[in-house]
Amino acid sequence: MHSKSLSETHKGETVLAALTRLDQEIASSERTHPVARLAVVTAEIDSIQQLFISLDLYKRPMLASENEDFVANVNRKEMRRLELSWLRNRYGELARERRVLHAQILRIRSLYTQLQKLLESLWGAETRPGTPLESVLTKACALRDALAQVSARLRAAAEYAHAAVRLMDDALPAWKLTTVGKSGWERSTSCADACRLLVQARCAERGARRVLAAPAAPRAARALRLALDYAFTDAIHDHK
């Protein structure tokens, strides 16, 4: 049904017009580099699934008892809970984006198939003119795709880093209110907001490293995480 409606839509179209249209549609569809983005999204989804497993391990009494630092530190337990909530939301967002990207890629493949069939209808089994140039173009496209994948990773990491900074900016005023709030309710609410935002900032920083496949954090990131630990602990103690 889809192919039939497509042929009816462009009925009476000249070969040159069809070639031009398909080329423009392919260029427009590939402008956002959905293949490169899909690779990043899929890798991140797989990584988050592994995090779900590691976070779930702490729920098992035997393994939890072996981790004295975790059991002794109630703050860590609360941070894990908030982190798991953030990861679940992020996982849902990525899963929805992956479905959209799959649909875009399927459409691009369909356009390429139509273009190839149109070219074959013109020349058949004969060697069509410009074949050497097509080989060069294929190599250039492969290089473009490789660069696009690197760019997609860097762009995703930058978005996470910017999000972490914004969350820190939002968390600082809330953190301040935990000590200057006029009522206990205001201080408790500010404490909850500060803790939530600080953990989300931590998750965003980890997200940047996750898409870059960088297990070891740079010195600045380690300093940020240490500051978040202190801030979260202070906020929890103020709340208590």
PDB file of all heavy atoms in Angstrom, residues 36-37 39-45 47-48 90 147-162 203-218 221:
ATOM      1  N   ALA A  36      24.441   7.948  13.033  1.00  0.00           N
ATOM      2  CA  ALA A  36      25.443   8.233  14.061  1.00  0.00           C
ATOM      3  C   ALA A  36      24.785   8.433  15.419  1.00  0.00           C
ATOM      4  O   ALA A  36      25.271   7.940  16.446  1.00  0.00           O
ATOM      5  CB  ALA A  36      26.243   9.477  13.675  1.00  0.00           C
ATOM      6  N   ARG A  37      23.685   9.146  15.435  1.00  0.00           N
ATOM      7  CA  ARG A  37      22.980   9.377  16.695  1.00  0.00           C
ATOM      8  C   ARG A  37      22.424   8.071  17.257  1.00  0.00           C
ATOM      9  O   ARG A  37      22.462   7.837  18.471  1.00  0.00           O
ATOM     10  CB  ARG A  37      21.850  10.386  16.478  1.00  0.00           C
ATOM     11  CG  ARG A  37      20.991  10.655  17.705  1.00  0.00           C
ATOM     12  CD  ARG A  37      21.801  11.155  18.876  1.00  0.00           C
ATOM     13  NE  ARG A  37      20.989  11.259  20.084  1.00  0.00           N
ATOM     14  CZ  ARG A  37      21.473  11.443  21.303  1.00  0.00           C
ATOM     15  NH1 ARG A  37      22.780  11.544  21.485  1.00  0.00           N
ATOM     16  NH2 ARG A  37      20.675  11.520  22.338  1.00  0.00           N
ATOM     17  N   ALA A  39      23.696   5.130  16.961  1.00  0.00           N
ATOM     18  CA  ALA A  39      24.797   4.379  17.568  1.00  0.00           C
ATOM     19  C   ALA A  39      25.076   4.879  18.979  1.00  0.00           C
ATOM     20  O   ALA A  39      25.312   4.086  19.901  1.00  0.00           O
ATOM     21  CB  ALA A  39      26.048   4.502  16.699  1.00  0.00           C
ATOM     22  N   VAL A  40      25.032   6.195  19.163  1.00  0.00           N
ATOM     23  CA  VAL A  40      25.263   6.775  20.492  1.00  0.00           C
ATOM     24  C   VAL A  40      24.139   6.390  21.446  1.00  0.00           C
ATOM     25  O   VAL A  40      24.377   5.981  22.589  1.00  0.00           O
ATOM     26  CB  VAL A  40      25.386   8.308  20.392  1.00  0.00           C
ATOM     27  CG1 VAL A  40      25.464   8.935  21.786  1.00  0.00           C
ATOM     28  CG2 VAL A  40      26.618   8.691  19.585  1.00  0.00           C
ATOM     29  N   VAL A  41      22.901   6.515  20.975  1.00  0.00           N
ATOM     30  CA  VAL A  41      21.741   6.203  21.820  1.00  0.00           C
ATOM     31  C   VAL A  41      21.736   4.730  22.221  1.00  0.00           C
ATOM     32  O   VAL A  41      21.507   4.386  23.387  1.00  0.00           O
ATOM     33  CB  VAL A  41      20.435   6.564  21.080  1.00  0.00           C
ATOM     34  CG1 VAL A  41      19.219   6.006  21.817  1.00  0.00           C
ATOM     35  CG2 VAL A  41      20.309   8.077  20.945  1.00  0.00           C
ATOM     36  N   THR A  42      22.009   3.853  21.258  1.00  0.00           N
ATOM     37  CA  THR A  42      22.007   2.418  21.550  1.00  0.00           C
ATOM     38  C   THR A  42      23.091   2.056  22.560  1.00  0.00           C
ATOM     39  O   THR A  42      22.857   1.281  23.495  1.00  0.00           O
ATOM     40  CB  THR A  42      22.217   1.615  20.253  1.00  0.00           C
ATOM     41  OG1 THR A  42      21.158   1.919  19.334  1.00  0.00           O
ATOM     42  CG2 THR A  42      22.214   0.119  20.533  1.00  0.00           C
ATOM     43  N   ALA A  43      24.281   2.630  22.379  1.00  0.00           N
ATOM     44  CA  ALA A  43      25.375   2.357  23.318  1.00  0.00           C
ATOM     45  C   ALA A  43      25.029   2.857  24.717  1.00  0.00           C
ATOM     46  O   ALA A  43      25.325   2.196  25.721  1.00  0.00           O
ATOM     47  CB  ALA A  43      26.664   3.011  22.826  1.00  0.00           C
ATOM     48  N   GLU A  44      24.376   4.011  24.783  1.00  0.00           N
ATOM     49  CA  GLU A  44      24.020   4.554  26.097  1.00  0.00           C
ATOM     50  C   GLU A  44      22.927   3.718  26.759  1.00  0.00           C
ATOM     51  O   GLU A  44      22.946   3.499  27.974  1.00  0.00           O
ATOM     52  CB  GLU A  44      23.569   6.009  25.968  1.00  0.00           C
ATOM     53  CG  GLU A  44      23.391   6.680  27.316  1.00  0.00           C
ATOM     54  CD  GLU A  44      23.150   8.173  27.232  1.00  0.00           C
ATOM     55  OE1 GLU A  44      23.091   8.706  26.105  1.00  0.00           O
ATOM     56  OE2 GLU A  44      23.011   8.799  28.290  1.00  0.00           O
ATOM     57  N   ILE A  45      21.971   3.248  25.979  1.00  0.00           N
ATOM     58  CA  ILE A  45      20.923   2.387  26.530  1.00  0.00           C
ATOM     59  C   ILE A  45      21.534   1.111  27.108  1.00  0.00           C
ATOM     60  O   ILE A  45      21.177   0.671  28.208  1.00  0.00           O
ATOM     61  CB  ILE A  45      19.878   2.054  25.445  1.00  0.00           C
ATOM     62  CG1 ILE A  45      18.983   3.278  25.192  1.00  0.00           C
ATOM     63  CG2 ILE A  45      19.020   0.864  25.861  1.00  0.00           C
ATOM     64  CD1 ILE A  45      17.967   3.074  24.097  1.00  0.00           C
ATOM     65  N   SER A  47      24.541   0.754  28.208  1.00  0.00           N
ATOM     66  CA  SER A  47      25.297   1.125  29.402  1.00  0.00           C
ATOM     67  C   SER A  47      24.376   1.329  30.604  1.00  0.00           C
ATOM     68  O   SER A  47      24.687   0.902  31.721  1.00  0.00           O
ATOM     69  CB  SER A  47      26.097   2.403  29.131  1.00  0.00           C
ATOM     70  OG  SER A  47      26.780   2.827  30.286  1.00  0.00           O
ATOM     71  N   ILE A  48      23.232   1.970  30.371  1.00  0.00           N
ATOM     72  CA  ILE A  48      22.282   2.199  31.466  1.00  0.00           C
ATOM     73  C   ILE A  48      21.707   0.876  31.964  1.00  0.00           C
ATOM     74  O   ILE A  48      21.479   0.693  33.167  1.00  0.00           O
ATOM     75  CB  ILE A  48      21.167   3.154  31.007  1.00  0.00           C
ATOM     76  CG1 ILE A  48      21.733   4.569  30.819  1.00  0.00           C
ATOM     77  CG2 ILE A  48      20.023   3.190  32.018  1.00  0.00           C
ATOM     78  CD1 ILE A  48      20.729   5.576  30.312  1.00  0.00           C
ATOM     79  N   ARG A  90      15.678   8.736  32.055  1.00  0.00           N
ATOM     80  CA  ARG A  90      16.555   8.918  30.904  1.00  0.00           C
ATOM     81  C   ARG A  90      16.466   7.727  29.958  1.00  0.00           C
ATOM     82  O   ARG A  90      16.486   7.889  28.731  1.00  0.00           O
ATOM     83  CB  ARG A  90      18.005   9.104  31.385  1.00  0.00           C
ATOM     84  CG  ARG A  90      18.994   9.401  30.268  1.00  0.00           C
ATOM     85  CD  ARG A  90      18.611  10.640  29.515  1.00  0.00           C
ATOM     86  NE  ARG A  90      19.511  10.909  28.405  1.00  0.00           N
ATOM     87  CZ  ARG A  90      19.140  11.530  27.299  1.00  0.00           C
ATOM     88  NH1 ARG A  90      17.894  11.956  27.158  1.00  0.00           N
ATOM     89  NH2 ARG A  90      20.006  11.742  26.329  1.00  0.00           N
ATOM     90  N   LEU A 147      33.154  10.549  10.813  1.00  0.00           N
ATOM     91  CA  LEU A 147      33.273  11.845  11.485  1.00  0.00           C
ATOM     92  C   LEU A 147      31.971  12.223  12.183  1.00  0.00           C
ATOM     93  O   LEU A 147      31.984  12.810  13.275  1.00  0.00           O
ATOM     94  CB  LEU A 147      33.653  12.925  10.465  1.00  0.00           C
ATOM     95  CG  LEU A 147      35.060  12.816   9.858  1.00  0.00           C
ATOM     96  CD1 LEU A 147      35.248  13.858   8.759  1.00  0.00           C
ATOM     97  CD2 LEU A 147      36.122  12.994  10.941  1.00  0.00           C
ATOM     98  N   ALA A 148      30.851  11.871  11.561  1.00  0.00           N
ATOM     99  CA  ALA A 148      29.551  12.182  12.162  1.00  0.00           C
ATOM    100  C   ALA A 148      29.363  11.432  13.472  1.00  0.00           C
ATOM    101  O   ALA A 148      28.781  11.960  14.427  1.00  0.00           O
ATOM    102  CB  ALA A 148      28.428  11.827  11.186  1.00  0.00           C
ATOM    103  N   GLN A 149      29.862  10.205  13.537  1.00  0.00           N
ATOM    104  CA  GLN A 149      29.724   9.426  14.767  1.00  0.00           C
ATOM    105  C   GLN A 149      30.550  10.040  15.897  1.00  0.00           C
ATOM    106  O   GLN A 149      30.090  10.123  17.042  1.00  0.00           O
ATOM    107  CB  GLN A 149      30.157   7.983  14.532  1.00  0.00           C
ATOM    108  CG  GLN A 149      29.806   7.054  15.684  1.00  0.00           C
ATOM    109  CD  GLN A 149      29.825   5.603  15.277  1.00  0.00           C
ATOM    110  OE1 GLN A 149      30.078   5.280  14.127  1.00  0.00           O
ATOM    111  NE2 GLN A 149      29.561   4.720  16.212  1.00  0.00           N
ATOM    112  N   VAL A 150      31.762  10.484  15.572  1.00  0.00           N
ATOM    113  CA  VAL A 150      32.584  11.161  16.581  1.00  0.00           C
ATOM    114  C   VAL A 150      31.911  12.455  17.023  1.00  0.00           C
ATOM    115  O   VAL A 150      31.840  12.771  18.217  1.00  0.00           O
ATOM    116  CB  VAL A 150      33.988  11.453  16.022  1.00  0.00           C
ATOM    117  CG1 VAL A 150      34.791  12.292  17.014  1.00  0.00           C
ATOM    118  CG2 VAL A 150      34.720  10.153  15.712  1.00  0.00           C
ATOM    119  N   SER A 151      31.398  13.196  16.046  1.00  0.00           N
ATOM    120  CA  SER A 151      30.723  14.456  16.353  1.00  0.00           C
ATOM    121  C   SER A 151      29.494  14.230  17.221  1.00  0.00           C
ATOM    122  O   SER A 151      29.219  15.006  18.144  1.00  0.00           O
ATOM    123  CB  SER A 151      30.323  15.158  15.049  1.00  0.00           C
ATOM    124  OG  SER A 151      29.593  16.339  15.309  1.00  0.00           O
ATOM    125  N   ALA A 152      28.750  13.155  16.940  1.00  0.00           N
ATOM    126  CA  ALA A 152      27.549  12.861  17.723  1.00  0.00           C
ATOM    127  C   ALA A 152      27.902  12.573  19.176  1.00  0.00           C
ATOM    128  O   ALA A 152      27.200  13.001  20.099  1.00  0.00           O
ATOM    129  CB  ALA A 152      26.807  11.676  17.109  1.00  0.00           C
ATOM    130  N   ARG A 153      28.987  11.856  19.393  1.00  0.00           N
ATOM    131  CA  ARG A 153      29.420  11.567  20.763  1.00  0.00           C
ATOM    132  C   ARG A 153      29.842  12.847  21.489  1.00  0.00           C
ATOM    133  O   ARG A 153      29.469  13.066  22.648  1.00  0.00           O
ATOM    134  CB  ARG A 153      30.583  10.567  20.748  1.00  0.00           C
ATOM    135  CG  ARG A 153      30.179   9.151  20.385  1.00  0.00           C
ATOM    136  CD  ARG A 153      31.362   8.208  20.470  1.00  0.00           C
ATOM    137  NE  ARG A 153      30.982   6.846  20.158  1.00  0.00           N
ATOM    138  CZ  ARG A 153      30.471   5.992  21.032  1.00  0.00           C
ATOM    139  NH1 ARG A 153      30.288   6.374  22.283  1.00  0.00           N
ATOM    140  NH2 ARG A 153      30.148   4.765  20.671  1.00  0.00           N
ATOM    141  N   LEU A 154      30.618  13.669  20.805  1.00  0.00           N
ATOM    142  CA  LEU A 154      31.075  14.914  21.429  1.00  0.00           C
ATOM    143  C   LEU A 154      29.897  15.847  21.726  1.00  0.00           C
ATOM    144  O   LEU A 154      29.853  16.492  22.779  1.00  0.00           O
ATOM    145  CB  LEU A 154      32.081  15.615  20.515  1.00  0.00           C
ATOM    146  CG  LEU A 154      33.425  14.902  20.327  1.00  0.00           C
ATOM    147  CD1 LEU A 154      34.273  15.638  19.295  1.00  0.00           C
ATOM    148  CD2 LEU A 154      34.172  14.802  21.649  1.00  0.00           C
ATOM    149  N   ARG A 155      28.950  15.906  20.794  1.00  0.00           N
ATOM    150  CA  ARG A 155      27.788  16.774  20.997  1.00  0.00           C
ATOM    151  C   ARG A 155      26.940  16.284  22.172  1.00  0.00           C
ATOM    152  O   ARG A 155      26.471  17.082  22.995  1.00  0.00           O
ATOM    153  CB  ARG A 155      26.955  16.825  19.717  1.00  0.00           C
ATOM    154  CG  ARG A 155      25.785  17.798  19.780  1.00  0.00           C
ATOM    155  CD  ARG A 155      25.268  18.134  18.397  1.00  0.00           C
ATOM    156  NE  ARG A 155      24.973  16.949  17.619  1.00  0.00           N
ATOM    157  CZ  ARG A 155      25.677  16.562  16.558  1.00  0.00           C
ATOM    158  NH1 ARG A 155      26.717  17.281  16.164  1.00  0.00           N
ATOM    159  NH2 ARG A 155      25.347  15.482  15.885  1.00  0.00           N
ATOM    160  N   ALA A 156      26.753  14.965  22.263  1.00  0.00           N
ATOM    161  CA  ALA A 156      25.980  14.415  23.378  1.00  0.00           C
ATOM    162  C   ALA A 156      26.678  14.669  24.709  1.00  0.00           C
ATOM    163  O   ALA A 156      26.038  15.016  25.710  1.00  0.00           O
ATOM    164  CB  ALA A 156      25.767  12.916  23.170  1.00  0.00           C
ATOM    165  N   ALA A 157      28.009  14.514  24.721  1.00  0.00           N
ATOM    166  CA  ALA A 157      28.764  14.770  25.952  1.00  0.00           C
ATOM    167  C   ALA A 157      28.671  16.239  26.353  1.00  0.00           C
ATOM    168  O   ALA A 157      28.535  16.567  27.542  1.00  0.00           O
ATOM    169  CB  ALA A 157      30.226  14.367  25.752  1.00  0.00           C
ATOM    170  N   ALA A 158      28.738  17.131  25.362  1.00  0.00           N
ATOM    171  CA  ALA A 158      28.636  18.568  25.650  1.00  0.00           C
ATOM    172  C   ALA A 158      27.265  18.914  26.221  1.00  0.00           C
ATOM    173  O   ALA A 158      27.147  19.729  27.149  1.00  0.00           O
ATOM    174  CB  ALA A 158      28.895  19.369  24.379  1.00  0.00           C
ATOM    175  N   GLU A 159      26.215  18.290  25.692  1.00  0.00           N
ATOM    176  CA  GLU A 159      24.869  18.543  26.208  1.00  0.00           C
ATOM    177  C   GLU A 159      24.742  18.088  27.658  1.00  0.00           C
ATOM    178  O   GLU A 159      24.130  18.773  28.487  1.00  0.00           O
ATOM    179  CB  GLU A 159      23.840  17.829  25.329  1.00  0.00           C
ATOM    180  CG  GLU A 159      23.690  18.447  23.944  1.00  0.00           C
ATOM    181  CD  GLU A 159      22.767  17.644  23.048  1.00  0.00           C
ATOM    182  OE1 GLU A 159      22.294  16.570  23.495  1.00  0.00           O
ATOM    183  OE2 GLU A 159      22.510  18.081  21.907  1.00  0.00           O
ATOM    184  N   TYR A 160      25.326  16.943  27.965  1.00  0.00           N
ATOM    185  CA  TYR A 160      25.309  16.466  29.351  1.00  0.00           C
ATOM    186  C   TYR A 160      26.084  17.423  30.263  1.00  0.00           C
ATOM    187  O   TYR A 160      25.653  17.734  31.377  1.00  0.00           O
ATOM    188  CB  TYR A 160      25.918  15.068  29.433  1.00  0.00           C
ATOM    189  CG  TYR A 160      24.941  13.946  29.219  1.00  0.00           C
ATOM    190  CD1 TYR A 160      25.173  12.974  28.253  1.00  0.00           C
ATOM    191  CD2 TYR A 160      23.795  13.835  30.001  1.00  0.00           C
ATOM    192  CE1 TYR A 160      24.280  11.928  28.053  1.00  0.00           C
ATOM    193  CE2 TYR A 160      22.899  12.792  29.808  1.00  0.00           C
ATOM    194  CZ  TYR A 160      23.144  11.843  28.840  1.00  0.00           C
ATOM    195  OH  TYR A 160      22.260  10.809  28.645  1.00  0.00           O
ATOM    196  N   ALA A 161      27.250  17.873  29.796  1.00  0.00           N
ATOM    197  CA  ALA A 161      28.070  18.771  30.609  1.00  0.00           C
ATOM    198  C   ALA A 161      27.345  20.090  30.870  1.00  0.00           C
ATOM    199  O   ALA A 161      27.357  20.613  31.996  1.00  0.00           O
ATOM    200  CB  ALA A 161      29.407  19.029  29.911  1.00  0.00           C
ATOM    201  N   HIS A 162      26.709  20.633  29.841  1.00  0.00           N
ATOM    202  CA  HIS A 162      25.954  21.876  30.020  1.00  0.00           C
ATOM    203  C   HIS A 162      24.789  21.666  30.987  1.00  0.00           C
ATOM    204  O   HIS A 162      24.489  22.546  31.813  1.00  0.00           O
ATOM    205  CB  HIS A 162      25.431  22.363  28.668  1.00  0.00           C
ATOM    206  CG  HIS A 162      26.503  22.863  27.761  1.00  0.00           C
ATOM    207  ND1 HIS A 162      26.369  22.933  26.388  1.00  0.00           N
ATOM    208  CD2 HIS A 162      27.753  23.314  28.019  1.00  0.00           C
ATOM    209  CE1 HIS A 162      27.475  23.402  25.851  1.00  0.00           C
ATOM    210  NE2 HIS A 162      28.331  23.638  26.817  1.00  0.00           N
ATOM    211  N   CYS A 203      24.578  12.801  37.779  1.00  0.00           N
ATOM    212  CA  CYS A 203      24.187  11.871  36.712  1.00  0.00           C
ATOM    213  C   CYS A 203      24.535  12.433  35.336  1.00  0.00           C
ATOM    214  O   CYS A 203      24.959  11.695  34.442  1.00  0.00           O
ATOM    215  CB  CYS A 203      22.686  11.586  36.792  1.00  0.00           C
ATOM    216  SG  CYS A 203      22.184  10.579  38.203  1.00  0.00           S
ATOM    217  N   ALA A 204      24.347  13.736  35.167  1.00  0.00           N
ATOM    218  CA  ALA A 204      24.671  14.355  33.881  1.00  0.00           C
ATOM    219  C   ALA A 204      26.167  14.288  33.612  1.00  0.00           C
ATOM    220  O   ALA A 204      26.601  14.024  32.480  1.00  0.00           O
ATOM    221  CB  ALA A 204      24.187  15.804  33.866  1.00  0.00           C
ATOM    222  N   GLU A 205      26.964  14.519  34.655  1.00  0.00           N
ATOM    223  CA  GLU A 205      28.421  14.422  34.485  1.00  0.00           C
ATOM    224  C   GLU A 205      28.817  13.001  34.110  1.00  0.00           C
ATOM    225  O   GLU A 205      29.657  12.776  33.234  1.00  0.00           O
ATOM    226  CB  GLU A 205      29.107  14.859  35.784  1.00  0.00           C
ATOM    227  CG  GLU A 205      30.626  14.791  35.752  1.00  0.00           C
ATOM    228  CD  GLU A 205      31.159  13.441  36.196  1.00  0.00           C
ATOM    229  OE1 GLU A 205      30.602  12.845  37.138  1.00  0.00           O
ATOM    230  OE2 GLU A 205      32.133  12.974  35.580  1.00  0.00           O
ATOM    231  N   ARG A 206      28.189  12.027  34.747  1.00  0.00           N
ATOM    232  CA  ARG A 206      28.474  10.633  34.404  1.00  0.00           C
ATOM    233  C   ARG A 206      27.981  10.307  32.994  1.00  0.00           C
ATOM    234  O   ARG A 206      28.590   9.507  32.285  1.00  0.00           O
ATOM    235  CB  ARG A 206      27.810   9.707  35.419  1.00  0.00           C
ATOM    236  CG  ARG A 206      28.514   9.678  36.767  1.00  0.00           C
ATOM    237  CD  ARG A 206      27.762   8.818  37.749  1.00  0.00           C
ATOM    238  NE  ARG A 206      28.523   8.616  38.975  1.00  0.00           N
ATOM    239  CZ  ARG A 206      28.046   8.016  40.054  1.00  0.00           C
ATOM    240  NH1 ARG A 206      26.802   7.570  40.062  1.00  0.00           N
ATOM    241  NH2 ARG A 206      28.803   7.866  41.130  1.00  0.00           N
ATOM    242  N   GLY A 207      26.865  10.931  32.605  1.00  0.00           N
ATOM    243  CA  GLY A 207      26.354  10.716  31.255  1.00  0.00           C
ATOM    244  C   GLY A 207      27.339  11.178  30.196  1.00  0.00           C
ATOM    245  O   GLY A 207      27.495  10.537  29.154  1.00  0.00           O
ATOM    246  N   ALA A 208      28.009  12.296  30.467  1.00  0.00           N
ATOM    247  CA  ALA A 208      29.007  12.800  29.520  1.00  0.00           C
ATOM    248  C   ALA A 208      30.130  11.788  29.340  1.00  0.00           C
ATOM    249  O   ALA A 208      30.582  11.530  28.217  1.00  0.00           O
ATOM    250  CB  ALA A 208      29.566  14.135  30.014  1.00  0.00           C
ATOM    251  N   ARG A 209      30.574  11.194  30.447  1.00  0.00           N
ATOM    252  CA  ARG A 209      31.636  10.186  30.342  1.00  0.00           C
ATOM    253  C   ARG A 209      31.118   8.903  29.707  1.00  0.00           C
ATOM    254  O   ARG A 209      31.850   8.203  29.011  1.00  0.00           O
ATOM    255  CB  ARG A 209      32.208   9.891  31.733  1.00  0.00           C
ATOM    256  CG  ARG A 209      33.052  11.031  32.278  1.00  0.00           C
ATOM    257  CD  ARG A 209      33.788  10.634  33.540  1.00  0.00           C
ATOM    258  NE  ARG A 209      32.900  10.483  34.679  1.00  0.00           N
ATOM    259  CZ  ARG A 209      32.673   9.335  35.301  1.00  0.00           C
ATOM    260  NH1 ARG A 209      33.236   8.229  34.874  1.00  0.00           N
ATOM    261  NH2 ARG A 209      31.870   9.278  36.345  1.00  0.00           N
ATOM    262  N   ARG A 210      29.840   8.610  29.940  1.00  0.00           N
ATOM    263  CA  ARG A 210      29.278   7.373  29.400  1.00  0.00           C
ATOM    264  C   ARG A 210      29.245   7.399  27.872  1.00  0.00           C
ATOM    265  O   ARG A 210      29.630   6.425  27.221  1.00  0.00           O
ATOM    266  CB  ARG A 210      27.870   7.168  29.960  1.00  0.00           C
ATOM    267  CG  ARG A 210      27.257   5.832  29.611  1.00  0.00           C
ATOM    268  CD  ARG A 210      26.025   5.541  30.451  1.00  0.00           C
ATOM    269  NE  ARG A 210      25.022   6.583  30.349  1.00  0.00           N
ATOM    270  CZ  ARG A 210      24.650   7.360  31.366  1.00  0.00           C
ATOM    271  NH1 ARG A 210      25.216   7.224  32.552  1.00  0.00           N
ATOM    272  NH2 ARG A 210      23.723   8.288  31.216  1.00  0.00           N
ATOM    273  N   VAL A 211      28.805   8.501  27.279  1.00  0.00           N
ATOM    274  CA  VAL A 211      28.725   8.558  25.817  1.00  0.00           C
ATOM    275  C   VAL A 211      30.109   8.637  25.178  1.00  0.00           C
ATOM    276  O   VAL A 211      30.279   8.279  24.010  1.00  0.00           O
ATOM    277  CB  VAL A 211      27.862   9.749  25.344  1.00  0.00           C
ATOM    278  CG1 VAL A 211      26.435   9.588  25.811  1.00  0.00           C
ATOM    279  CG2 VAL A 211      28.429  11.071  25.819  1.00  0.00           C
ATOM    280  N   LEU A 212      31.089   9.098  25.947  1.00  0.00           N
ATOM    281  CA  LEU A 212      32.457   9.138  25.434  1.00  0.00           C
ATOM    282  C   LEU A 212      33.212   7.847  25.720  1.00  0.00           C
ATOM    283  O   LEU A 212      34.375   7.713  25.338  1.00  0.00           O
ATOM    284  CB  LEU A 212      33.218  10.315  26.064  1.00  0.00           C
ATOM    285  CG  LEU A 212      32.759  11.717  25.650  1.00  0.00           C
ATOM    286  CD1 LEU A 212      33.534  12.768  26.426  1.00  0.00           C
ATOM    287  CD2 LEU A 212      32.929  11.926  24.152  1.00  0.00           C
ATOM    288  N   ALA A 213      32.533   6.909  26.402  1.00  0.00           N
ATOM    289  CA  ALA A 213      33.168   5.642  26.781  1.00  0.00           C
ATOM    290  C   ALA A 213      34.452   5.908  27.558  1.00  0.00           C
ATOM    291  O   ALA A 213      35.494   5.298  27.316  1.00  0.00           O
ATOM    292  CB  ALA A 213      33.456   4.783  25.552  1.00  0.00           C
ATOM    293  N   ALA A 214      34.359   6.849  28.502  1.00  0.00           N
ATOM    294  CA  ALA A 214      35.519   7.222  29.321  1.00  0.00           C
ATOM    295  C   ALA A 214      35.255   6.804  30.763  1.00  0.00           C
ATOM    296  O   ALA A 214      34.653   7.553  31.535  1.00  0.00           O
ATOM    297  CB  ALA A 214      35.764   8.729  29.243  1.00  0.00           C
ATOM    298  N   PRO A 215      35.671   5.592  31.151  1.00  0.00           N
ATOM    299  CA  PRO A 215      35.402   5.126  32.516  1.00  0.00           C
ATOM    300  C   PRO A 215      36.125   5.935  33.583  1.00  0.00           C
ATOM    301  O   PRO A 215      35.626   6.109  34.691  1.00  0.00           O
ATOM    302  CB  PRO A 215      35.893   3.673  32.494  1.00  0.00           C
ATOM    303  CG  PRO A 215      36.902   3.626  31.383  1.00  0.00           C
ATOM    304  CD  PRO A 215      36.415   4.594  30.359  1.00  0.00           C
ATOM    305  N   ALA A 216      37.312   6.435  33.257  1.00  0.00           N
ATOM    306  CA  ALA A 216      38.076   7.228  34.219  1.00  0.00           C
ATOM    307  C   ALA A 216      37.734   8.702  34.044  1.00  0.00           C
ATOM    308  O   ALA A 216      37.816   9.244  32.940  1.00  0.00           O
ATOM    309  CB  ALA A 216      39.574   7.004  34.019  1.00  0.00           C
ATOM    310  N   ALA A 217      37.353   9.334  35.136  1.00  0.00           N
ATOM    311  CA  ALA A 217      36.978  10.742  35.065  1.00  0.00           C
ATOM    312  C   ALA A 217      38.209  11.630  35.089  1.00  0.00           C
ATOM    313  O   ALA A 217      39.180  11.329  35.778  1.00  0.00           O
ATOM    314  CB  ALA A 217      36.069  11.096  36.241  1.00  0.00           C
ATOM    315  N   PRO A 218      38.209  12.726  34.340  1.00  0.00           N
ATOM    316  CA  PRO A 218      39.319  13.681  34.429  1.00  0.00           C
ATOM    317  C   PRO A 218      39.334  14.347  35.798  1.00  0.00           C
ATOM    318  O   PRO A 218      38.377  14.245  36.567  1.00  0.00           O
ATOM    319  CB  PRO A 218      38.998  14.684  33.313  1.00  0.00           C
ATOM    320  CG  PRO A 218      37.533  14.562  33.101  1.00  0.00           C
ATOM    321  CD  PRO A 218      37.193  13.131  33.363  1.00  0.00           C
ATOM    322  N   ALA A 221      36.357  16.516  36.707  1.00  0.00           N
ATOM    323  CA  ALA A 221      35.131  15.768  36.981  1.00  0.00           C
ATOM    324  C   ALA A 221      35.193  15.109  38.355  1.00  0.00           C
ATOM    325  O   ALA A 221      34.193  15.064  39.084  1.00  0.00           O
ATOM    326  CB  ALA A 221      34.913  14.714  35.900  1.00  0.00           C
TER     327      ALA A 221
END
